[in-house]
Amino acid sequence: MKLPAFIAEHTAAIERELERVTPPEATRPELLHRAMRYTLFAPSKRVRAVLTLLSADVCGSASRALPAAAAIELVHASSLILDDLPALDNASLRRGRPANHVAHGEAIALMAAFNLFDLAFTTIAQAYEPVLARQLTALLAGSVGSTGLIGGEVEDLLATESSISFEALELIHRWKTGALFVAAAVAGALSAGARPDQVNALTAYAKNLGLAFQIVDDLLDVTGDPAETGKPHLADARKTTFVSFSGVEGARSLARELCDTATTALGPFGSRAVRLRDLARFVGERHA
């Protein structure tokens, strides 16, 4: 899909940073690095990395945020590989092409996911002074652990083909999706030396933005064009989703409400937060 200019203007820098920190395919072991790059450099909106840069910018400057943005993308790419595995979602397609384990085999896909995860923390350790590196490491690790990506994935797995409450569904996606959005925003803020009140405002923004992003994903699973979404129609049919729980219109209304709440949290930044407001609008209206 064609990206808005305010997102596209950051993606080239993000791609260059990812190229800088990721081993080339020709570096031994070639199979490992090819599989890592297969997912990491697949067509992507880079919403989380852009959120990192915009959050840094609204707190002062994005000049030091690129390594943090790259680390966020590395963790996200790792999570996509794991999410698609036969033991979890058993997805055959991701971003319009075969999932990593389909293209490279399950063993290499697992190694690629682990090495992307490792590379995220290596990137932070090498880019920042010890105090900030320690803060960013704790932040990113927390977004991945039992109250983050991993916890959300486990709860999602246990809920497959089961009836769950709306509260349980919301918890799954605040962990599985929202936690990395929060880490992206806070990482950008910390790289810019943000004040505590600025970090709090961005945390509130990102919590709501991440949940809205997931709800729109659920909507696209039902109403989207697979040629645009890059995933099969009704790929999540075995799960309780925001659409199966609230219906299409109810889910759309909830996504809009969350985007509005995210935007309201930006009040302390005034006009400086125009791009973060644009990002919330993009998340709520996206078609892929």
Side-chain angles (χ1 to χ4, degrees):
M1 66 181 295
K2 182 176 174 58
L3 294 174
F6 80 94
I7 290 180
E9 70 186 19
H10 291 294
T11 54
I14 294 165
E15 298 298 320
R16 286 194 299 271
E17 184 67 7
L18 290 171
E19 282 284 1
R20 184 185 72 82
V21 303
T22 309
E25 283 189 14
T27 302
R28 191 173 182 177
E30 295 89 343
L31 283 176
L32 172 65
H33 297 137
R34 189 176 305 124
M36 290 168 61
R37 297 175 68 89
Y38 180 84
T39 296
L40 183 62
F41 291 105
S44 171
K45 296 175 287 294
R46 304 295 189 204
V47 169
R48 295 158 187 78
V50 169
L51 173 57
T52 302
L53 299 182
L54 295 180
S55 297
D57 186 63
V58 81
C59 292
S61 171
S63 62
R64 303 186 66 213
L66 268 175
I72 293 290
E73 284 294 322
L74 289 161
V75 168
H76 179 53
S78 174
S79 74
L80 296 181
I81 296 173
L82 296 174
D83 193 47
D84 288 342
L85 288 170
L88 282 88
D89 282 359
N90 195 23
S92 59
L93 287 176
R94 171 71 69 173
R95 293 172 174 171
R97 57 182 184 169
N100 199 295
H101 68 275
V102 175
H104 301 282
E106 193 170 346
I108 293 297
L110 279 166
M111 295 301 102
F114 294 149
N115 210 39
L116 285 163
F117 184 72
D118 175 78
L119 186 57
F121 290 97
T122 300
T123 298
I124 288 171
Q126 292 178 345
Y128 298 107
E129 65 275 14
V131 172
L132 180 55
R134 186 163 59 248
Q135 287 179 299
L136 293 174
T137 296
L139 172 70
L140 196 53
S143 76
V144 172
S146 59
T147 56
L149 283 165
I150 293 173
E153 193 69 68
V154 170
E155 294 288 343
D156 193 31
L157 184 64
L158 294 174
T160 300
E161 298 181 350
S162 300
S163 178
I164 61 173
S165 68
F166 186 85
E167 291 74 21
L169 179 63
E170 182 179 11
L171 177 66
I172 286 169
H173 294 299
R174 285 206 180 277
W175 286 356
K176 187 177 175 181
T177 303
L180 195 58
F181 271 78
V182 171
V186 174
L190 292 176
S191 75
R195 303 188 308 268
D197 62 306
Q198 293 175 316
V199 172
N200 291 339
L202 286 167
T203 297
Y205 168 83
K207 278 183 179 178
N208 289 287
L209 188 71
L211 195 55
F213 189 94
Q214 179 60 50
I215 293 170
V216 174
D217 258 6
D218 288 354
L219 281 164
L220 292 174
D221 184 60
V222 175
T223 66
D225 180 354
E228 292 187 24
T229 64
K231 295 189 290 186
H233 188 58
L234 298 177
D236 294 328
R238 296 184 306 131
K239 299 181 178 182
T240 299
T241 69
F242 286 100
V243 175
S244 66
F245 207 101
S246 303
V248 168
E249 290 308 315
R252 280 181 178 149
S253 176
L254 181 56
R256 286 193 296 268
E257 180 183 333
L258 286 162
C259 288
D260 289 345
T261 303
T263 298
T264 300
L266 299 172
F269 296 107
S271 61
R272 283 183 59 84
V274 61
R275 292 307 187 202
L276 286 168
R277 295 186 180 94
D278 289 342
L279 183 63
R281 189 176 306 112
F282 169 76
V283 165
E285 297 175 356
R286 68 192 175 92
H287 300 290

